[in-house]
Amino acid sequence: MKRKRMLSFAAVVAGFALYFSLNEPNTAYAMHIMEGFLPVGWAVFWWVLFLPFFLMGLRSLKRLTKEQPETKLLLGLAGAFAFVLSALKIPSVTGSSSHPTGTGLGAVLFGPLAMTVLGSFVLLFQAVLLAHGGLTTLGANAFSMAVVGPFVAYSVYRLTVRSTGKQRLAVFLAAALADMATYVVTSLQLALAFPAASGGVLASFAKFAGIFAVTQIPLAISEGLLTVLVWNWLMVYNRQELNTLQSIKRGA
Amino acid sequence: MKNSVWKMNVLIILVVAALMVIPLVMIKDSDFGGADGAAEQAVTEMAPEYKPWFEPLFEPPGSETESLLFALQAAFGAGIIGYGIGYYKGRATKRECSDEDSA
């Protein structure tokens, strides 16, 4: 057992060494789409796609706080986690910085729709006060970070728990893959709006996603680990609420 | 808190810190600039004729103010997390004590 662990640890270290040494530094664009940088048609398109999820999210939050008022603080904690993580611009191997999303934790705890609302608030705050992201592009950014991310997190968590029964592994994978998925969708959104002159959407997507994915890999791992950190705290002090939430979700 | 959980959390923090420091040490010729500016450039490359049609309503006047706002965002969130964890820890401890009393 111990040997196996040592071996897998060595493999991880070797993998990272390879990854860090193979990467050519270049500039990446791994953040939200800036204000005004989606053509009107696409901006409206993503807003229309995003809004129904937001409304369903509001309804899910309302039901949750009505039926389980004691989970309000936990809800605030999940929102605060997204708030903190998306304020941290972390240097990455590509030579530029990007930030994690923090939506995985809340999605695992409360289901994806609740996190749609909380994630949108984070984006709204950054768009209005920090000129980071934007109001016209909020639909697109919220769709990637507050809809796709949480849904990926939730499905990955469910699948992993069902197939392996390992909670921590499931939380880690859920948060890390939600983070990755968010930025893959962002690059898809940019590729759709700005297809390359030769090769069209696919070539453009390859360019955006190639850079995105590479920048985001270490950040996604960090996000997964930090989510497990908070999860560990909650498991020690807060089993009761977690169990109620589990049983609600099973019933739903 | 259980010993193994403690160890795991410390390990997690070390790995996360390493993931941040390694790029800083390995890549020398970069200022780790934010992506926003670079994205503008990329879009201009892909579609030279594109003009942004909407400007941010408010923009922090400089990088100092911007970093202040980002720091506030992180501090606010961290404060809530600290409050929450502290609340739950206090509650758990209290519950343990009253269990001992009744036993």
Side-chain angles (χ1 to χ4, degrees):
Chain A
M1 186 65 197
K2 201 151 197 185
R3 235 191 109 133
K4 206 170 146 196
R5 222 182 243 181
M6 287 283 282
L7 271 177
S8 60
F9 181 71
V12 168
V13 170
F16 266 113
L18 193 70
Y19 171 79
F20 282 124
S21 57
L22 283 184
N23 259 308
E24 289 287 308
N26 56 29
T27 332
Y29 338 107
M31 281 200 236
H32 309 306
I33 303 172
M34 295 85 35
E35 187 74 283
F37 261 83
L38 277 183
V40 183
W42 283 111
V44 172
F45 174 81
W46 293 112
W47 263 106
V48 169
L49 216 58
F50 156 67
L51 274 178
F53 286 97
F54 186 75
L55 295 178
M56 283 191 289
L58 281 181
R59 233 180 42 192
S60 129
L61 271 189
K62 217 163 138 190
R63 206 178 53 212
L64 184 78
T65 47
K66 206 166 141 195
E67 287 169 8
Q68 306 285 332
E70 70 273 19
T71 58
K72 269 183 197 160
L73 180 58
L74 199 54
L75 203 60
L77 209 138
F81 187 67
F83 219 62
V84 174
L85 282 201
S86 55
L88 301 178
K89 295 190 198 168
I90 300 174
S92 180
V93 283
T94 48
S96 66
S97 303
S98 178
H99 62 77
T101 62
T103 54
L105 179 71
V108 167
L109 288 173
F110 299 104
L113 284 171
M115 218 47 216
T116 299
V117 179
L118 297 180
S120 309
F121 282 139
V122 175
L123 284 168
L124 182 69
F125 172 86
Q126 294 198 324
V128 172
L129 283 180
L130 297 170
H132 183 61
L135 292 176
T136 58
T137 51
L138 186 65
N141 289 331
F143 190 79
S144 62
M145 181 177 131
V147 176
V148 173
F151 272 92
V152 166
Y154 190 65
S155 339
V156 168
Y157 175 75
R158 294 291 292 255
L159 274 174
T160 315
V161 165
R162 205 171 292 164
S163 57
T164 66
K166 287 181 179 150
Q167 289 275 347
R168 282 198 186 101
L169 179 69
V171 170
F172 171 78
L173 287 177
L177 291 177
D179 185 320
M180 284 303 293
T182 298
Y183 286 98
V184 169
V185 171
T186 305
S187 37
L188 184 66
Q189 288 167 333
L190 281 170
L192 284 171
F194 300 103
S198 62
V201 173
L202 264 181
S204 180
F205 177 70
K207 184 179 175 186
F208 280 119
I211 303 162
F212 268 130
V214 177
T215 308
Q216 206 61 27
I217 286 170
L219 300 202
I221 295 171
S222 293
E223 166 154 11
L225 289 171
L226 289 173
T227 308
V228 172
L229 182 89
V230 173
W231 180 265
N232 281 343
W233 276 333
L234 293 178
M235 285 310 277
V236 173
Y237 299 127
N238 213 357
R239 232 166 241 274
Q240 187 193 341
E241 265 103 347
L242 294 192
N243 288 340
T244 9
L245 284 173
Q246 293 290 335
S247 55
I248 298 175
K249 273 189 289 191
R250 227 166 271 141
Chain B
M1 207 187 285
K2 262 188 258 151
N3 225 344
S4 59
V5 176
W6 254 110
K7 270 186 202 150
M8 186 175 181
N9 283 355
V10 170
L11 194 69
I12 284 176
I13 290 170
L14 289 179
V15 173
V16 170
L19 280 175
M20 287 185 210
V21 170
I22 290 170
L24 287 177
V25 176
M26 299 226 3
I27 302 168
K28 294 256 156 53
D29 54 346
S30 171
D31 57 358
F32 293 93
D36 312 46
E40 277 179 47
Q41 207 184 319
V43 170
T44 333
E45 251 170 57
M46 297 267 187
E49 74 286 359
Y50 183 76
K51 292 264 181 300
W53 55 282
F54 199 83
E55 292 290 312
L57 300 174
F58 165 80
E59 216 164 336
S63 62
E64 300 298 334
T65 319
E66 193 186 349
S67 65
L68 166 73
L69 287 166
F70 270 106
L72 277 179
Q73 182 185 339
F76 177 72
I80 293 183
I81 294 177
Y83 173 83
I85 303 270
Y87 173 85
Y88 290 132
K89 179 176 161 66
R91 196 188 58 183
T93 318
K94 202 175 152 198
R95 211 171 272 159
E96 255 167 46
C97 288
S98 56
D99 282 353
E100 274 165 26
D101 287 348
S102 57

